[in-house]
Amino acid sequence: MGPVRVESTAALYFATLFSGYTPMFTPRYARITERLSADGSDVWAVHDRALEMQRNGDDVILLSVGDPDFRTPEPIIDNAVSHLRVGRTHYSPSLGEIKLRRAVADLETRTSPYPCNADEVAIFPGATSAIYATLSCLLDPGDEIVVPEPMYVGYVPIFQGLDLKVRTVPLEVQNGFSLDVSAVKATISDKTRVLFINTPGNPTGAIIPAADIRELANYCRERNIWLVCDEVYSMFCYEGKHVSARASAESLENIVMIDGLSKSHAMSGWRIGWVVAPPTLILRLGSYAGATLFGSPQFIQDASAFALENDQQYVREMRDEYRKRRDYVLDKLGKVKNIRCSRPHAGMFVMCDVSATGLDGKAFAEQLLTEQAVSVIPGDAFGPSAANFVRLGLAQNHSVLKRACKRIRVFCAAI
Ligand SMILES: Cc1ncc(COP(=O)(O)O)c(C=O)c1O
């Protein structure tokens, strides 16, 4: 009998029965693959349905994305292209090109009282990868991490992948999602190895005051706990000032900062992020990056260094545009009686409490999509304390936001 082609489980069964064919290989996978693919509830269900509707020709408005709608500023693109043309297309050091590490270090030196050296910086392909690498180097499976919620949805697969024990602290939802320092301290146990915070916050748009970060940093240092702070929205503050963990802390021993260019420079697809941390951690991140990345593309790092070193006018322009969009949405939805939007001080999102409609965030988001073809993210995607909220993204231009607000008003009036 010739070779047996096996195309399905049923075919495999019959082939095995009648041909004497015995499968030689039973695939087995590492448990991390199960954890990574674990059902993260239906975080993206509304968004996915919106995309499906769009493919079917419906006029859907997507407020469920956090990808900047702006083009990457032209000078950065030109810079990357020119570096491509001169052959910057080779391997690069695992920790990143020294020019970019220095550019990040200079930025940190400008924004904190501590001078920063390139040996405190590691470059990764995006903040997501920087966070994964950092937590991989700080925590073993089963170790405890404390994190406030609502939190960025992207943290969940990272925590799951690394098999961490996650203890969450609810933010003060009715108080603009502020962080209650004493609640965080009460959640930290003698098993906690990392306190993970995010300021300015996604989805909340809240900025953690420098004094609170300082207090937590000291509290953690006294207990041998790392403070890891994700600051990817640092350049989009509208009121109040973002003060980095590095600038807030009294000592840098236990401070790790994550940032990147995805949001600030509309470079989400370029994949550039970084870690700023004590050199001992950076060395370990170097080994980790050597094993997993073997360097990020040279021409992208060249253009990223250029982006950080040169005039930040385009960053200010994007920030001002997001602020206008935020103000517009708050103004229009502020007139809708049965929803109440929190005022984000930073970032790209507006959180709306929809409980007065009689719906929770999930039902509201599902019905808003069905009835008015507007896609938002249900608050419970970010944590249980935001279950009565939906998150609206500001990564759409004014005319789209205008139509979206109108549809939301019509939807709310009909409830
Ligand atoms: C708080 C936060 N951290 C990290 C990321 C991921 O950033 P990156 O594109 O650099 O991986 C995002 C993206 O939305 C975010 O909102």
Side-chain angles (χ1 to χ4, degrees):
M1 195 167 189
V4 181
R5 282 185 62 217
V6 180
E7 284 167 354
S8 69
T9 316
L12 173 67
Y13 175 74
F14 287 112
T16 309
L17 262 190
F18 300 119
S19 71
Y21 170 89
T22 329
M24 297 296 290
F25 176 68
T26 311
R28 290 171 61 186
Y29 302 100
R31 277 191 290 275
I32 187 176
T33 61
E34 284 155 32
R35 294 198 303 274
L36 285 171
S37 62
D39 180 23
S41 75
D42 40 9
V43 170
W44 297 108
V46 173
H47 178 72
D48 290 345
R49 184 155 68 88
L51 293 180
E52 176 79 42
M53 287 166 65
Q54 223 171 32
R55 279 193 292 275
N56 293 338
D58 291 348
D59 170 24
V60 179
I61 300 179
L62 290 178
L63 300 187
S64 39
V65 282
D67 192 354
D69 59 315
F70 298 106
R71 268 176 69 87
T72 300
E74 227 49 50
I76 303 176
I77 296 176
D78 291 343
N79 190 282
V81 171
S82 65
H83 279 105
L84 262 176
R85 294 218 179 281
V86 298
R88 294 282 290 158
T89 53
H90 295 275
Y91 288 129
S92 68
S94 294
L95 279 171
E97 290 286 347
I98 192 67
K99 195 169 156 51
L100 178 56
R101 294 174 72 197
R102 282 202 189 112
V104 172
D106 289 348
L107 172 71
E108 293 309 325
T109 300
R110 288 196 299 275
T111 52
S112 96
Y114 305 102
C116 183
N117 295 314
D119 67 352
E120 293 168 90
V121 178
I123 305 301
F124 281 90
T128 306
S129 163
I131 296 168
Y132 199 99
T134 298
L135 297 184
S136 299
C137 290
L138 299 183
L139 295 154
D140 287 309
D143 279 348
E144 187 174 286
I145 185 167
V146 169
V147 59
E149 63 85 17
M151 64 176 150
Y152 168 51
V153 288
Y155 298 151
V156 177
I158 297 177
F159 299 160
Q160 279 173 348
L162 297 175
D163 206 8
L164 304 182
K165 181 168 186 309
V166 183
R167 286 168 73 105
T168 54
V169 197
L171 293 169
E172 295 191 305
V173 174
Q174 300 311 330
N175 193 15
F177 296 99
S178 58
L179 185 82
D180 176 353
V181 172
S182 52
V184 177
K185 287 182 181 172
T187 309
I188 287 173
S189 78
D190 53 8
K191 297 210 179 67
T192 304
R193 297 273 304 272
V194 167
L195 170 62
F196 192 100
I197 58 176
N198 168 216
T199 180
N202 171 11
T204 66
I207 297 172
I208 305 177
D212 290 356
I213 300 179
R214 186 175 315 119
E215 191 176 336
L216 287 171
N218 283 339
Y219 188 83
C220 287
R221 188 162 50 94
E222 284 155 14
R223 285 159 185 76
N224 242 13
I225 295 170
W226 290 95
L227 177 72
V228 181
C229 189
D230 174 353
E231 307 189 1
V232 300
Y233 296 98
S234 59
M235 296 194 194
F236 291 153
C237 287
Y238 312 122
E239 287 97 27
K241 194 168 159 358
H242 166 76
V243 184
S244 72
R246 191 179 171 90
S248 308
E250 277 167 18
S251 156
L252 299 180
E253 282 168 295
N254 65 330
I255 303 298
V256 183
M257 280 174 46
I258 313 280
D259 206 338
L261 296 179
S262 289
K263 314 290 174 174
S264 56
H265 291 67
M267 290 173 66
S268 49
W270 296 63
R271 309 312 297 137
I272 285 290
W274 56 82
V275 183
V276 182
T280 49
L281 172 56
I282 297 297
L283 280 177
R284 286 166 169 80
L285 284 167
S287 308
Y288 183 93
T292 54
L293 295 170
F294 211 55
S296 297
Q298 289 179 321
F299 64 98
I300 290 183
Q301 295 190 70
D302 296 335
S304 300
F306 170 85
L308 287 175
E309 280 164 353
N310 285 277
D311 183 27
Q312 303 291 304
Q313 180 58 23
Y314 36 73
V315 176
R316 290 191 287 275
E317 281 167 11
M318 287 190 273
R319 181 198 59 202
D320 292 346
E321 177 59 23
Y322 282 125
R323 184 208 310 255
K324 276 191 210 148
R325 295 174 182 183
R326 177 204 64 167
D327 291 344
Y328 178 81
V329 167
L330 289 180
D331 178 48
K332 290 294 163 203
L333 298 187
K335 295 176 183 136
V336 179
K337 288 205 173 52
N338 44 2
I339 58 177
R340 199 175 58 81
C341 295
S342 302
R343 186 180 182 79
H345 295 302
M348 296 168 49
F349 309 101
V350 172
M351 290 290 272
C352 287
D353 181 345
V354 298
S355 52
T357 60
L359 302 173
D360 63 10
K362 194 160 181 242
F364 185 97
E366 279 165 1
Q367 292 181 29
L368 177 65
L369 180 62
T370 305
E371 289 170 31
Q372 290 294 330
V374 176
S375 162
V376 296
I377 303 274
D380 68 350
F382 308 98
S385 60
N388 283 330
F389 287 75
V390 293
R391 190 194 76 176
L392 278 58
L394 299 173
Q396 293 285 11
N397 68 34
H398 181 81
S399 75
V400 176
L401 288 176
K402 190 171 170 189
R403 288 194 300 128
C405 288
K406 201 165 161 196
R407 290 187 190 184
I408 293 172
R409 185 163 45 77
V410 171
F411 173 71
C412 289
I415 295 176

